[in-house]
Amino acid sequence: VQLQASGGGLVAPGGSLRLSCVASGFSLDGYAVAWYRQAPGKEREGVVCMSNSDGITNSPDSVKGRVTISRDNAKNTVYLQINNLKPEDTAVYYCATPPGPNYGCYDIMEYWGKGTQVTVSS
């Protein structure tokens, strides 16, 4: 079981990025998938999650209205679109899933991918 986040990079304020979370060794279909981020010196923060049981969860005010989560089961991939990026969005972004397909967004995440760095700077 492995998750790999990618798609990060350096982007100017106001720009957009689409991050990808690809699963290997299992099918993401039916799994809750969450995106988290951790900025330097700060605690990890949940960004958004989607699951069959919970739908799409609310995002914190810091990103509300600027993030969209989606999945492509054929590609075994979940995406995080972030628009109107701000310097405070600079962080390592991680995707995570719970232990199995019968868990939801509010259960403990078991599998974590290596993060992808997003840096927002002019």
Side-chain angles (χ1 to χ4, degrees):
V1 174
Q2 195 170 18
L3 296 172
Q4 179 65 57
S6 63
L10 174 63
V11 63
S16 297
L17 280 176
R18 188 177 77 160
L19 308 183
S20 299
C21 175
V22 181
S24 58
F26 73 108
S27 171
L28 276 176
D29 191 1
Y31 272 76
V33 180
W35 285 95
Y36 291 81
R37 68 183 183 180
Q38 188 164 20
K42 293 188 176 182
E43 292 187 356
R44 188 173 60 205
E45 174 186 43
V47 176
V48 69
C49 178
M50 69 185 307
S51 75
N52 290 338
S53 58
D54 304 305
I56 296 175
T57 62
N58 290 326
S59 294
D61 290 343
S62 57
V63 296
K64 190 169 290 183
R66 299 191 293 117
V67 297
T68 303
I69 187 171
S70 61
R71 69 164 79 214
D72 185 337
N73 288 330
K75 295 183 178 180
N76 216 23
T77 300
V78 172
Y79 302 100
L80 179 69
Q81 176 77 31
I82 316 173
N83 298 322
N84 190 23
L85 280 156
K86 304 176 181 182
E88 50 266 40
D89 294 320
T90 295
V92 179
Y93 285 72
Y94 302 88
C95 56
T97 65
N102 296 323
Y103 295 83
C105 288
Y106 301 103
D107 292 305
I108 293 175
M109 296 296 152
E110 175 79 10
Y111 303 113
W112 292 81
K114 291 183 180 180
T116 185
Q117 175 72 48
V118 171
T119 302
V120 184
S121 175
S122 55

